[in-house]
Amino acid sequence: MREIMIPKVIVMYLPQFHRTPENDEWWGEGFTDWVSARNAKPLFEGHYQPHIPLNDNYYDLLDKKTMQWQADLMHKYGIDGICMYHYWFKDSRRILEKPEQNLLEWKDIDMPFCFCWANESWARSWTHLFSMTRKGANIWNFDSDNKQKQNPILLQQSYGLYDQWKKHLDYLMPFFMDERYIKIDGAPVFVIYKPNEIKCLSEMIIYWKKMAKAEGLADICIVGINCDDASSDYIDISISFEPLVTIWRHYNDIPNNPIKMLDFDNFIRSSLEEKPNWRKCFFGGTVGYDDTPRRGNKGKCIVNNTPEKFNEYTYNLLRKNSLYGNEYLFINAWNEWGEGMHLEPDKKYSFKYLEALHDAISKTKNLDEKVAIFQADNNDYEKRQIYSERIRVDKNELYLKLMDQWMNLAENEKSISNYLSKNGYKKIVIYGFGMLGQHLYYDLVKNGVGIVGIVDERAHDLNVDCNLFLPNDELPKYDCFVITSVFYKDEILRKLNLDTIHDVISIDHIIDEILTEDVVF
């Protein structure tokens, strides 16, 4: 018997409400996310659009008074901090970084924060937005024969190798060291929006954690959104991120009438039934959802959401997270005006959503009696793992896919050897001498790249003209350690002595980087 743990409330925070040269160029002079919100139109009877800020407060996030107002409002209504979207693209390209940099500088603003790395490429996909901002722009990218005229990618998401990982961590460290940065057991919380998109995630996390500890941090707490069996074992926590989880679970069952609409009562019921998707899982919530300002009649919308329903939903989410021993509840969102998710006051509801949240927090905190803590059934996770293993794509399918991509590189006169050499790796250790390992070996030999040795559990049985090592053998000096047994990558990384092994990278990540390296903006 013990007192119930009350999770702290973190709200997702969009930094898109200020001008940038890139947005002026791509979307039109003066663009911010207010443009889509301000010009939204109702698409069906009773459709609540547009969402108008209370007192027409179309603020600029570069104004310090705006952030101070937001911080004061959060404290008043019991919100413990923000999770700000953070953008870091290929070759260390940043955008929308001014609000985070200002917050770091404005130490007097009491706004606890952490980052969510929105690790996806930016593309010209908001067709409705184009039609509003530029005449005919919704067909901007196609000629009269329906052929693509331009590259639709605005900013390419690519991860590079160790030098890029270091630059990213070097940028993040001053934020991590800030006393306002949100931490768990002294480890700064860093959320990754699409963890499965990062082929090198395990290697990157290992590197970051080692470097962070060398800089004096206890650790970095890596939090992945909607993790599944393909996610890195090195992710510490997953967020069951709403409304994505529930909307996509029911997506095929939602008719277009005229857009896809999900009733809030049904949404809440499904959301609260969600099981843990990871060893440790934060159960997230949402205010609502409506992306028609950005996507028009191709959008999705939660309907019949009210402050009263949100109050009961949030109360149950707080209790659910507390019963699982979770430190935080992530709510989507503080200011996603272009997707109908905002706790910030609007003309229709004024402060009612904030009041509903505050009341839910207060009701939970008033449960001061001793309660029996429900022990989360870890067997749920174990059973799910066993089931998932049965349906996991066979490793040969994965390897054949990689071989197909590798052949495409060869057809375009690109090679892994050249990529490694270009990045300064001239002495290579190959881990694994199966199909991919053998092809890599002959690729390196053909192109004159030095091979220090091959590491394989079957080293004594291999017949190849190269130094052979068992996994625990001491290795000579090398530049890069390439894992070719990618299906077992996390297991291999756990077994390696990572204090002596450095610059470890998997071949699938190398192939992925080569495939994206020639994207032109």
Side-chain angles (χ1 to χ4, degrees), residues 359-420:
D359 180 68
I361 296 169
S362 298
K363 285 191 295 188
T364 311
K365 286 182 177 178
N366 286 336
L367 296 172
D368 58 340
E369 73 276 11
K370 300 292 183 180
V371 296
I373 295 296
F374 170 76
Q375 297 299 320
D377 185 2
N378 290 325
N379 288 331
D380 279 353
Y381 176 77
E382 294 171 5
K383 290 174 183 176
R384 189 181 63 82
Q385 285 288 79
I386 293 171
Y387 173 75
S388 299
E389 286 296 331
R390 292 172 184 167
I391 64 172
R392 185 192 286 269
V393 176
D394 182 84
K395 70 174 183 179
N396 289 333
E397 215 171 294
L398 170 62
Y399 291 167
L400 287 172
K401 177 184 176 182
L402 290 173
M403 283 304 303
D404 180 59
Q405 292 175 328
W406 200 340
M407 289 295 292
N408 287 333
L409 296 181
E411 290 165 4
N412 288 283
E413 299 182 345
K414 298 180 180 180
S415 75
I416 292 176
S417 299
N418 290 339
Y419 182 80
L420 291 171

Side-chain angles (χ1 to χ4, degrees), residues 58-154:
Y58 294 100
Y59 54 70
D60 182 345
L61 274 186
L62 300 188
D63 184 348
K64 184 177 181 180
K65 292 179 181 178
T66 293
M67 275 197 167
Q68 185 62 65
W69 167 75
Q70 291 174 328
D72 292 343
L73 208 57
M74 290 176 190
H75 283 294
K76 180 177 180 180
Y77 290 100
I79 294 169
D80 296 284
I82 66 170
C83 183
M84 182 184 291
Y85 286 107
H86 159 78
Y87 303 90
W88 185 277
F89 294 95
K90 179 181 179 181
D91 298 328
S92 307
R93 176 76 180 272
R94 300 192 299 275
I95 192 172
L96 302 176
E97 74 279 8
K98 291 295 184 181
E100 66 191 34
Q101 292 178 349
N102 285 342
L103 184 56
L104 183 66
E105 179 183 344
W106 296 334
K107 305 290 186 185
D108 54 323
I109 294 183
D110 184 11
M111 185 184 284
F113 68 99
C114 62
F115 287 148
C116 175
W117 180 15
N119 63 307
E120 55 186 349
S121 296
W122 279 20
R124 297 178 185 268
S125 59
W126 294 353
T127 55
H128 182 64
L129 181 58
F130 265 102
S131 67
M132 291 191 302
T133 56
R134 297 178 183 175
K135 184 178 179 181
N138 58 322
I139 55 171
W140 68 275
N141 200 32
F142 297 91
D143 60 22
S144 58
D145 296 323
N146 203 35
K147 294 180 179 178
Q148 187 169 292
K149 293 186 293 188
Q150 301 181 44
N151 189 334
I153 299 297
L154 300 172

Side-chain angles (χ1 to χ4, degrees), residues 198-209:
I198 308 178
K199 300 282 197 318
C200 58
L201 184 57
S202 295
E203 299 96 311
M204 186 187 294
I205 291 173
I206 289 168
Y207 176 77
W208 278 352
K209 284 175 176 276

